[in-house]
Amino acid sequence: MLLRIDPESDAPLFAQIADSVRADAAAGRVHAGDRLPAAREIAAALGVNVHTVLHAYQDLRGEGLVELRRGRGAVITAQATVLASLHHDIQSLVARARAAGLPPDTLAALVKEIATHDDRTAR
């Protein structure tokens, strides 16, 4: 697993780490039951604080993508299969948005708004 961060990005480092794990799950590069590297290993490799990596792992746990197990570390859950199954649909949506000249940030905002709106109306 290759985690990527961009030190020049405005996005917090913990969010970039979590995004990288999500992207690997969506692309099918990690699967349910796979162990993520220890937080200390990632921190050393990326040159970040170990708490930054732990913050990312906690966020992923909150989403259900990672299970934190004492003695085993961070383990990918079956949620990775769900992300991988959506990957093709997301690629198609991105291609359609790109062809229409829609910037990625606008597409992301629209998807977030629709998902949030659907959550509110379901209550």
Side-chain angles (χ1 to χ4, degrees), residues 5-122:
I5 60 168
D6 177 5
E8 303 299 318
S9 172
D10 290 336
L13 294 173
F14 76 89
Q16 292 184 52
I17 293 167
D19 286 346
S20 186
V21 173
R22 284 185 207 99
D24 281 349
R29 291 186 291 267
V30 294
H31 305 91
D34 287 353
R35 287 180 52 191
L36 294 177
R40 289 190 209 303
E41 290 176 34
I42 293 175
L46 297 177
V48 300
N49 189 295
V50 71
H51 294 288
T52 301
V53 179
L54 291 172
H55 189 167
Y57 280 10
Q58 289 292 340
D59 283 0
L60 294 167
R61 183 179 95 180
E63 296 168 15
L65 182 58
V66 168
E67 184 177 287
L68 299 176
R69 299 179 183 169
R70 185 167 287 206
R72 285 202 59 210
V75 179
I76 299 292
T77 67
Q79 187 70 19
T81 306
V82 174
L83 285 178
S85 72
L86 293 172
H87 192 245
H88 177 72
D89 295 332
I90 294 168
Q91 283 181 316
S92 296
L93 179 61
V94 168
R96 288 179 56 204
R98 191 175 288 141
L102 196 65
D105 288 343
T106 302
L107 175 60
L110 289 170
V111 169
K112 186 174 182 177
E113 174 60 30
I114 290 169
T116 302
H117 177 72
D118 286 352
D119 284 349
R120 285 188 293 227
T121 58

